[in-house]
Structures are given as C-alpha cells and as structure tokens.
Amino acid sequence: MKTQLKMSNLLSMKVRIYLYIFSLSTLLFSQNYCINVCPFIDSITNSELVFNLFIIFLIHIIVREILYKVFNTPFKNLTLPRHAYYLSIISWMIAGIAAFILHFFKYPTFPIGSHIKLLSSYWILGAAILSQLEYILFEKRFKEIATNVDISKYNENISKRIVESFIILTVAPAITIFLILARYYHDNVFNNSHIIQEIGYVIALFVITAIASSLLFSKMLKKDTKMILKNIKSIQNGNYQINIDITRADELGEISNAIEHMATKIDSLNQEIVSTQMEVVNKMGEIAETRSKETGNHVKRVALYTEVLALKYGMSEKEAEILKQASPMHDIGKVGIPDNILNKTGRHTIEEFEIMKTHAQIGYDILKSSDRPILKAAAIVAYEHHEKWDGTGYPRGLKEENIHIYGRITAVADVYDALGSDRCYKKAWDEGKILELFQEQKGKHFDPTIIEIFFENIDTFRKIRDSLKD
C-alpha cells in the first residue's frame, strides 16, 4: 500500500540540527551585514546586537516548529520537499518581520529604513539564500524515506528550478551590494579598500552558497540519471524486472516511471511470447508422438523428468526451465519417417532401422536455424538424445561429456518413460525390469552421474508418472 509522507517523517533529528545551524548562522552574517548597511545599527554595541539577533533566532526556531506542526500534510499539488521549502521561506520571512518589530519598538528613534534593512538581512540570507540549501536538504531526506510513495503528478520542472535558483542567487547579492553602497553614500565616505573588502565579503559568501547548492543539486541529478541509465542497460540485456526508485516529481521522475511501465509491458509481452512458444513446442512434440501412436502425456512426463534431473544435476532454475520446455521436441524428427516404418509392429530390418535413426538428424535440421533459446535447446535435444555414454549411439557416435548435458538428461528421461509405456511394437515393462536395465547401462548407455541422480529421486519420478497416466 502506498503511503503519504508528512513533515513529521521528513524532519529527522539530523535535519533539524542542520536547520538550527542555518538559523544560527544569521547571527554571524546579520551582525556584519547590519553594521555595513545601516549606520544607525552600527551605533549599537556588538553585545546588544548579538543579543537581539539571538532573540530572533529563538523566535525563528519556534516559528519553524509551529509551521511544521500546523502544516504537517503537504499542500495540494505540492511535493513534500517543496512544501517544506515554502514553509522554510515563510519562517525566514516571519523571522525578518519579528526582527523589524523588535527593533522598531526597542529603538524608536531609528529611521524606518534602518528597521527595513534588518528585515532584509533575514529575507535575503534566509528566505532567498539559505532556503535553497534547505530545499536540497529536504530533497535528500525525502529520497531516503520515500521507499513506498506513489508520485502520480509530475509538477516539478528541472529547468524552472535552475532558473529560480539562478535568479535568487544573482538578485540577492545585487541587492546586498546596493545596500552597502547606499550606506557609504549616506555617510559620504568612500574608502575604496574598505568598500572592496565589504563587497568581497558579501560576494564570497554568496558564491560559496551558490557553489554548495549547485554541487549538491548536481550530485543528486547525476546519481538519479545513473540509475535510469543502469536500468535502461538492464532492459537492453533482457532483464525487465527493474525498479527505478528515484522518487522525483520532475522530468527525471516522469521518464523513470515511463521506463518502468515500458519494461513491465515488454516483460508481459515477452512472457506471452514465451508462453506461446512453449505451447507450440508442446503441440509439435505431441504431433510427433501421435504419428507414432503414442500419447501426448509422454512428452509432458519427459519434460517434468528432465526438469528434476537438471535441477538435481546443478543447473540454474532458468536453464532447467529451458530444458523442460525444449525436451518435448526430442522426437520431432519422426514427422519425416514413413508411417510403414514408424508404426511397424514387428522388428525393424537393418535398412528400416537406419531410416528410423535419421529422425535425430531430421529434428535437428528442422530446429537448428532458430535463435530462440528454447528452440536452440530443442535442436540439441533432438540431435543428441540417442547418443550413448560409451560412444555406440547415433547419429554421430559421440562419447561421454562430448554429448551435450541436454542430450544426456533427456536420454534417461525418454528411455525411462518409453520402457514403462505401451508401444505399437511392445508392452510396457514393469518398473523392476526398467531399474535393473538402468543399473546395467550405467556408464554404457547412460551418464553414470545422471543415473545416480535418477535413483536418488525415483520417488519423484513415480509421482510424475502417476499424475500423468496414459
């Protein structure tokens, strides 16, 4: 179930500490700023000015907490980080107003412009500059906790965000420099070195803040972009089970969401193709068995036998599944054998048996040109399931591990089921006789390792046979 995060989730102790540090930083900046932009504030002692600013700091902290408590749930159509960002701006503006009121009543002889300049220090540094850093802080924290959040509206805009920050980080220092120059103009004092020093201080402060904001913002963008590209590469490699959890309400978030939906759709279509392919493979296997008067359950049992043997042999689930899907095609080449030979009730002549053996080559020739994993596996199975461990099999007389593991496994599964079933040329053998033959042919007809696995799992084979009787 998707959840809606609130301010109480966003404001961890670490986040609060950073916010308090940002608020406290105004003590240092505002003290220097106020002295340089207003000659009247310059007349206040440093200790008294710091005391006044500390009172504003406490008010700001209280205002923050009240705003976060009252507006715990994001405003409509706002992401939680932007909601927190707006509350941050409001808190800085209220702190500036509080500073204005405090100085207005405490120093009634000061001109109104003096109080406005104090207010501007909070609005410029706090609402304009530090709130940018706080916004990034909120975004970073949001990404840490938003593991089960449904972002249905992508109403943020990266380019708009960049322009917004650019305007703030250029207008704010321009206003500050203008106020510094206005103060020196008011005093009719233009000490070049002092003016340059003060303006340099302001420029350095804003440049550092701008660089910090840019680096943090670009780091988040780079990380999320890398995640998107990584998942695109994963899709290109055939893995459609992706999760691009970047929790963004901007263009990158919308792109990642579209990629996820595309991958899900491709995966669904791919599964449908695989399912159709499996059905075609099974039907073709059944067609081959029907021509030789055998039931469709033979290929179904062989498929399940091969899966058991493959997994116990140590194959991955994916590879065992491919063999399971391919093994029903082991006798597909029988479609090329004449009916009078294929369905002969008596023993085949030497010439007839030679023709019968060609079904392995025919099956391979039918399937070998496919690039599909299932059909490629089916080609191997059709070609090599009559090869024998000691090299006396056909069509190529391969020996031991030169026989593909698919062929070795299918050989055991096919012979076990064929001997235990009625055929036009024989009656079903009893199980004891079959097991005795398998022990005898261990290391001759069959891979000894596969035979050992077979006997270790004989109960599983019996259950499969009983569940799919002819």
Side-chain angles (χ1 to χ4, degrees), residues 418-448:
L419 292 178
S421 305
D422 288 332
R423 293 288 186 265
C424 61
Y425 53 86
K426 72 166 189 67
K427 289 293 183 181
W429 289 20
D430 63 71
E431 188 179 67
K433 188 177 178 182
I434 296 172
L435 299 183
E436 184 180 335
L437 176 71
F438 272 37
Q439 285 286 13
E440 179 188 326
Q441 291 298 315
K442 178 181 177 182
K444 296 177 181 178
H445 186 156
F446 305 116
D447 179 342

Side-chain angles (χ1 to χ4, degrees), residues 61-286:
I61 293 299
I62 295 170
V63 168
R64 272 191 190 275
E65 295 300 329
I66 292 173
L67 287 173
Y68 297 153
K69 186 73 174 178
V70 173
F71 301 103
N72 190 36
T73 303
F75 297 136
K76 187 178 180 180
N77 296 327
L78 287 184
T79 61
L80 183 58
R82 183 162 282 273
H83 173 78
Y85 169 58
Y86 286 159
L87 292 182
S88 178
I89 291 174
I90 293 170
S91 73
W92 282 108
M93 295 182 76
I94 292 175
I97 293 170
F100 176 90
I101 294 172
L102 177 66
H103 270 243
F104 181 81
F105 287 102
K106 195 170 183 180
Y107 308 106
T109 59
F110 286 7
I112 193 70
S114 173
H115 308 311
I116 291 175
K117 287 175 182 177
L118 179 61
L119 177 146
S120 72
S121 71
Y122 283 89
W123 285 17
I124 291 173
L125 177 66
I129 303 300
L130 291 180
S131 61
Q132 296 296 307
L133 291 175
E134 291 176 4
Y135 191 5
I136 295 172
L137 178 66
F138 295 142
E139 284 185 315
K140 190 174 183 300
R141 171 61 179 166
F142 180 71
K143 290 172 73 63
E144 291 174 357
I145 62 176
T147 55
N148 194 33
V149 176
D150 183 18
I151 298 178
S152 55
K153 293 184 179 180
Y154 298 94
N155 46 13
E156 295 286 341
N157 188 291
I158 295 175
S159 58
K160 181 181 177 182
R161 168 78 179 279
I162 292 172
V163 170
E164 177 184 285
S165 298
F166 175 77
I167 292 173
I168 290 172
L169 293 172
T170 52
V171 172
I175 293 173
T176 305
I177 291 170
F178 173 79
L179 290 173
I180 292 173
L181 292 174
R183 182 263 165 95
Y184 286 111
Y185 178 79
H186 175 273
D187 290 346
N188 198 24
V189 176
F190 284 96
N191 186 323
N192 290 334
S193 61
H194 189 65
I195 294 175
I196 292 172
Q197 181 182 355
E198 296 302 330
I199 291 176
Y201 166 78
V202 170
I203 291 174
L205 178 66
F206 284 109
V207 166
I208 291 171
T209 306
I211 291 174
S213 300
S214 300
L215 289 176
L216 291 171
F217 185 62
S218 64
K219 185 179 179 181
M220 283 197 298
L221 280 179
K222 186 176 182 181
K223 181 180 178 182
D224 291 340
T225 303
K226 276 187 174 181
M227 184 177 291
I228 291 173
L229 293 174
K230 179 182 176 182
N231 280 277
I232 289 174
K233 188 172 182 180
S234 181
I235 293 171
Q236 290 173 336
N237 291 332
N239 177 22
Y240 308 113
Q241 302 296 324
I242 63 170
N243 180 26
I244 315 178
D245 189 17
I246 64 173
T247 55
R248 299 183 70 99
D250 54 25
E251 297 93 328
L252 283 183
E254 192 166 7
I255 290 170
S256 66
N257 184 58
I259 291 172
E260 271 198 63
H261 279 81
M262 179 188 70
T264 301
K265 185 67 175 176
I266 293 173
D267 188 43
S268 176
L269 292 172
N270 190 58
Q271 290 299 322
E272 187 175 338
I273 291 170
V274 170
S275 178
T276 302
Q277 194 177 54
M278 286 173 58
E279 188 172 351
V280 170
V281 166
N282 277 306
K283 291 302 178 185
M284 289 179 71
E286 288 176 18

Side-chain angles (χ1 to χ4, degrees), residues 258-435:
I259 291 172
E260 271 198 63
H261 279 81
M262 179 188 70
T264 301
K265 185 67 175 176
I266 293 173
D267 188 43
S268 176
L269 292 172
N270 190 58
Q271 290 299 322
E272 187 175 338
I273 291 170
V274 170
S275 178
T276 302
Q277 194 177 54
M278 286 173 58
E279 188 172 351
V280 170
V281 166
N282 277 306
K283 291 302 178 185
M284 289 179 71
E286 288 176 18
I287 290 169
E289 300 302 325
T290 302
R291 281 208 64 233
S292 58
K293 309 299 183 185
E294 295 168 12
T295 70
N297 279 348
H298 168 65
V299 294
K300 293 176 182 176
R301 291 192 295 264
V302 168
L304 294 175
Y305 296 154
T306 57
E307 181 183 32
V308 172
L309 291 171
L311 290 172
K312 297 297 182 181
Y313 185 79
M315 285 188 190
S316 66
E317 289 187 10
K318 183 178 180 181
E319 191 174 12
E321 180 66 21
I322 289 174
L323 178 56
K324 173 189 173 183
Q325 294 169 9
S327 60
M329 300 280 280
H330 63 278
D331 276 336
I332 188 63
K334 287 181 178 180
V335 296
I337 305 300
D339 286 344
N340 64 314
I341 297 176
L342 184 64
N343 296 317
K344 185 177 179 179
T345 55
R347 256 181 106 80
H348 288 119
T349 65
I350 294 175
E351 293 78 12
E352 288 172 339
F353 186 59
E354 288 301 317
I355 293 172
M356 191 68 182
K357 289 196 296 185
T358 62
H359 81 276
Q361 182 68 53
I362 293 170
Y364 176 70
D365 290 339
I366 291 171
L367 300 168
K368 67 181 181 181
S369 60
S370 176
D371 288 329
R372 297 288 180 182
I374 294 175
L375 296 181
K376 287 174 73 174
I380 295 170
V381 167
Y383 204 22
E384 300 187 14
H385 75 288
H386 281 297
E387 300 287 358
K388 296 183 179 181
W389 185 256
D390 62 6
T392 60
Y394 64 87
R396 293 184 292 165
L398 299 179
K399 188 176 181 180
E400 297 181 356
E401 292 188 356
N402 288 324
I403 307 168
H404 196 285
I405 185 61
Y406 290 173
R408 283 181 273 151
I409 287 176
T410 306
V412 173
D414 181 38
V415 172
Y416 173 74
D417 196 76
L419 292 178
S421 305
D422 288 332
R423 293 288 186 265
C424 61
Y425 53 86
K426 72 166 189 67
K427 289 293 183 181
W429 289 20
D430 63 71
E431 188 179 67
K433 188 177 178 182
I434 296 172
L435 299 183

